[in-house]
Amino acid sequence: MRHEPKSWYSARTFYRGLTWENRPFEERVVLFRARSLDEAIELAERESAEYAREGDLEVLDMVQAYRISDGDEEMGAGTEVFSKLHALNLPANTFLDRYDSGPAHTQISK
């Protein structure tokens, strides 16, 4: 039996804080090696459940996956890891306002 090579996929997952002030939403994009889009989504669902348990988060019911590369293609600086087209008839500033949801909780690593 021939095995399909694993490709790189990114998966975007969504959460809501259970105990944080104002219960903020969180989006994450995580990389996986998988043989198909369906397998990448399954891996993302498992990983997101573990992440949520560790962070006291609620997993929201949506995973968006994106194939980054075929097989062993190299990835590096400038590699697109996620893309989503939005078919909306809006002025640019209105569109951007949808994604600027106010103050963000950020973590700066040194």
Side-chain angles (χ1 to χ4, degrees):
M1 174 192 268
R2 184 172 177 268
H3 292 284
E4 287 185 49
K6 289 187 176 183
S7 297
W8 282 105
Y9 290 84
S10 64
R12 183 177 179 210
T13 51
F14 303 84
Y15 309 85
R16 181 121 198 220
L18 294 174
T19 59
W20 299 3
E21 182 181 341
N22 298 324
R23 296 191 60 212
F25 292 98
E26 179 180 358
E27 319 177 29
R28 295 173 68 231
V29 177
V30 179
L31 297 176
F32 295 97
R33 295 278 296 197
R35 289 184 176 83
S36 68
L37 185 65
D38 288 339
E39 182 182 5
I41 290 171
E42 288 175 24
L43 292 170
E45 288 172 338
R46 279 188 252 146
E47 190 279 338
S48 68
E50 183 178 324
Y51 178 78
R53 271 193 305 279
E54 292 172 1
D56 208 14
L57 300 165
E58 170 189 6
V59 178
L60 303 182
D61 191 24
M62 181 166 61
V63 175
Q64 296 176 328
Y66 179 76
R67 189 177 75 202
I68 299 169
S69 71
D70 294 321
D72 290 327
E73 289 178 38
E74 285 192 33
M75 293 193 314
T79 299
E80 181 177 85
V81 297
F82 193 81
S83 177
K84 180 180 178 185
L85 298 175
H86 299 266
L88 301 170
N89 186 15
L90 299 173
N93 286 340
T94 303
F95 172 78
L96 292 176
D97 285 347
R98 286 182 171 204
Y99 293 93
D100 182 12
S101 59
H105 290 73
T106 59
Q107 177 180 346
I108 300 172
S109 300
K110 292 183 179 186

